[in-house]
């Protein structure tokens, strides 16, 4: 590339960076279609389409019981998928550097904390399900602020770490601000209550700090502190203690506390190697509670068998590997931190969900990204995926 051509390209990039958000949406996405970008797009399309099919299969009975319409949940999921894809297109086309602005990061954190705080105040807008106040209903729109908290934490942490990369081990200048924001978020989420989401938020932050080069002793201290807090908050609350007991021996109470775990194990075992095929799975008939949300992996394993389950595991492993490549090839530290937080979030949440479905972890109420039924989670996940792909488009390698 000649000096003149390089100068023109740099000037064009500068104009694009200074453009308004509306102008940015009208212009082509920054960067180029790298192999990593293409592979990410393929993986995300596959898991999203798989999710739509599995929600159709697993939600029919639940939909009939709730509304009389067998495709009620499937139609809503399809609508949310369309909205999520629209959000993905927006975040893909807008240069990811725009999310670094203090107004954006601070605004995202403040708005998320305000929404989480609203859940603590009894109100007709607060929707309670299974003993948890996690949703805000405005007309026909239902919002789950804890899903937005994951993206808000990623944006805030990436911005702060990229600005203070030379002081990443400084407790006062770097760790304290991050831990304060995380702590307030975690406290509000824990009050819903949702310990699983708090664990995910902590995992996201640790992944970003690891990529930032935080000394191993500090990482170990944070892991130990977090593990101790999880054990404490588990043993202090009766229903969480009961989950641990049923996790250790679900067959001791197969029709009570262990029912969900037992039915999940039966469903996965029933799938065999190739699955029972669409329509024949017990999980499709609501034998497995929350088969279209938290336990959708059971639906996959029973309908598609071990082969289908392994394909899903391979897709999320691929997502993690591609995320590492995006981190490696990111054009700047900010892009690397965004990629680390988002890809770490997807992979950690996916394998937590899969582990719970197979009784390798106690029940946590964590969904399978892009696959489980859910509005806020699907839209926020796809918006975050657009940011990840935007970083991949600007990567240093083809």
């Amino acid at each position: 590339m000649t000096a003149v051509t390089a100068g023109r390209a740099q000037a064009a990039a500068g104009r694009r960076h200074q453009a308004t958000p509306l102008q940015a949406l009208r212009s082509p996405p920054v960067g180029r279609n790298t192999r990593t970008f293409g592979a990410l797009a393929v993986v995300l399309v596959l898991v999203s389409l798989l999710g739509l099919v599995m929600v159709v299969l697993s939600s029919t009975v639940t939909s009939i019981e709730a509304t009389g319409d067998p495709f009620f949940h499937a139609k809503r999921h399809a609508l949310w998928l369309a909205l999520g894809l629209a959000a993905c297109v927006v975040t893909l086309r807008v240069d990811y550097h725009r999310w670094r602005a203090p107004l954006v990061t601070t605004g995202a954190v403040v708005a998320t904390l305000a929404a989480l705080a609203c859940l603590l105040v009894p109100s007709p807008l607060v929707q309670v399900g299974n003993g948890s106040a996690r949703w805000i209903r405005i007309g026909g729109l239902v919002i789950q602020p804890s899903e937005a908290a994951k993206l808000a934490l990623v944006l805030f942490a990436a911005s702060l770490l990229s600005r203070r990369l030379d002081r990443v081990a400084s407790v006062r200048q770097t760790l304290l601000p991050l831990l304060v924001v995380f702590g307030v978020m975690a406290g509000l989420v824990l009050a819903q209550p949702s310990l699983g989401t708090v664990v995910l938020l902590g995992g996201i932050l640790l992944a970003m700090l690891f990529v930032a080069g935080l000394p191993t002793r500090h990482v170990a201290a944070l892991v130990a502190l977090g593990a101790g807090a999880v054990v404490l908050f588990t043993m202090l609350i009766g229903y969480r203690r009961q989950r641990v007991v049923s996790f250790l021996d679900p067959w001791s109470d197969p029709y009570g506390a262990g029912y969900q775990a037992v039915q999940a194990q039966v469903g996965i075992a029933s799938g065999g190697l190739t699955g029972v095929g669409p329509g024949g799975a017990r999980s499709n008939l609501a034998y497995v509670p929350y088969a279209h949300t938290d336990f959708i992996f059971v639906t996959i394993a029973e309908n598609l068998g071990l082969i289908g389950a392994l394909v899903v595991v391979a897709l999320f492993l691929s997502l993690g590997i591609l995320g590492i490549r995006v981190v490696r090839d990111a054009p700047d530290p900010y892009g690397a931190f965004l990629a680390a937080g988002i890809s770490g979030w997807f992979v950690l949440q996916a394998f937590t969900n899969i582990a719970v479905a197979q009784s390798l972890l106690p029940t946590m109420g964590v969904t399978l990204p892009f696959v489980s039924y859910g509005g806020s989670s699907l839209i926020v996940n796809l918006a975050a995926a657009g940011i990840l792909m935007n970083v991949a488009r600007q990567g240093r390698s083809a």
Side-chain angles (χ1 to χ4, degrees):
M1 180 182 292
T2 66
V4 174
T5 305
R8 288 175 179 172
Q10 193 173 34
R15 289 193 299 270
R16 194 177 283 135
H17 183 67
Q18 295 172 3
T20 65
L22 183 58
Q23 291 171 332
L25 285 174
R26 290 173 177 171
S27 62
V30 178
R32 66 200 190 286
N33 293 334
T34 63
R35 286 193 295 270
T36 303
F37 168 81
L40 277 172
V42 170
V43 170
L44 291 169
V45 167
L46 288 176
V47 292
S48 297
L49 290 178
L50 175 68
L52 181 59
V53 172
M54 289 299 118
V55 167
V56 172
L57 291 177
S58 61
S59 66
T60 303
V61 172
T62 303
S63 295
I64 292 173
E65 292 175 346
T67 67
D69 179 2
F71 299 108
F72 173 77
H73 288 96
K75 288 186 289 189
R76 289 177 68 88
H77 187 81
L79 173 61
W80 290 328
L81 178 58
L83 293 174
L85 290 174
C88 183
V89 170
V90 171
T91 53
L92 171 62
R93 296 182 67 88
V94 175
D95 186 356
Y96 73 84
H97 294 95
R98 292 191 161 277
W99 311 116
R100 192 186 184 193
L103 181 62
V104 174
T105 55
T106 304
V109 169
V110 170
T112 301
L113 293 178
L116 289 170
C118 287
L119 295 173
L120 305 182
V121 181
S123 165
L125 299 178
V126 176
Q127 180 175 319
V128 179
N130 302 315
S132 297
R134 301 184 187 180
W135 302 271
I136 297 175
R137 178 181 290 277
I138 303 175
L141 180 65
V142 179
I143 302 170
Q144 189 173 1
S146 59
E147 293 297 328
K150 299 169 189 174
L151 182 55
L153 180 62
V154 169
L155 294 177
F156 176 80
S159 178
L160 183 68
L161 288 172
S162 64
R163 296 175 190 277
R164 302 179 183 177
L165 187 56
D166 58 334
R167 293 161 284 166
V168 68
S170 171
V171 173
R172 183 177 64 85
Q173 298 184 52
T174 305
L175 292 181
L176 184 60
L178 289 174
L179 292 178
V180 166
V181 170
F182 166 76
V184 175
M185 276 187 182
L188 292 173
V189 172
L190 198 61
Q192 296 179 1
S194 179
L195 182 58
T197 302
V198 172
V199 172
L200 289 176
L201 289 171
I204 291 168
L205 186 58
L206 279 173
M208 299 178 74
L209 287 169
F210 176 78
V211 171
L214 186 69
T216 305
R217 65 181 183 279
H218 290 125
V219 174
L222 290 174
V223 170
L225 181 63
V230 169
V231 171
L232 176 64
F233 284 112
T234 298
M235 303 313 294
L236 284 177
I237 307 298
Y239 78 90
R240 291 196 186 117
R241 288 199 305 272
Q242 184 59 47
R243 283 183 178 180
V244 173
V245 172
S246 63
F247 158 71
L248 295 174
D249 187 11
W251 290 91
S252 64
D253 188 12
Y255 298 104
Y259 179 79
Q260 196 168 31
V262 167
Q263 292 301 317
Q265 291 177 18
V266 171
I268 292 174
S270 300
L273 181 63
T274 58
V276 300
R282 290 164 51 88
S283 56
N284 298 350
L285 304 176
Y287 280 93
V288 179
Y290 312 111
H292 61 304
T293 54
D294 299 349
F295 282 78
I296 200 165
F297 186 76
V298 178
T299 301
I300 295 170
E302 190 172 7
N303 282 279
L304 304 179
L306 177 63
I307 294 175
L310 289 177
V311 168
V312 173
V313 171
L315 286 172
F316 281 104
L317 277 175
S318 300
L319 186 58
I321 293 170
L322 292 169
I324 292 173
R325 290 179 60 179
V326 177
V327 172
R328 180 197 66 187
D329 298 333
D332 52 41
Y334 176 62
F337 297 143
L338 281 179
I342 293 171
S343 56
W345 155 16
F346 293 160
V347 173
L348 177 61
Q349 182 167 334
F351 285 100
T352 299
N353 175 275
I354 292 170
V356 168
Q358 297 184 86
S359 297
L360 299 176
L361 286 175
T363 302
M364 290 188 187
V366 173
T367 57
L368 188 59
F370 311 105
V371 180
S372 294
Y373 172 83
S376 298
S377 60
L378 188 56
I379 293 171
V380 172
N381 286 344
L382 284 168
I387 297 175
L388 179 63
M389 289 192 290
N390 190 283
V391 179
R393 280 184 59 90
Q394 299 185 55
R396 290 191 295 262
S397 68

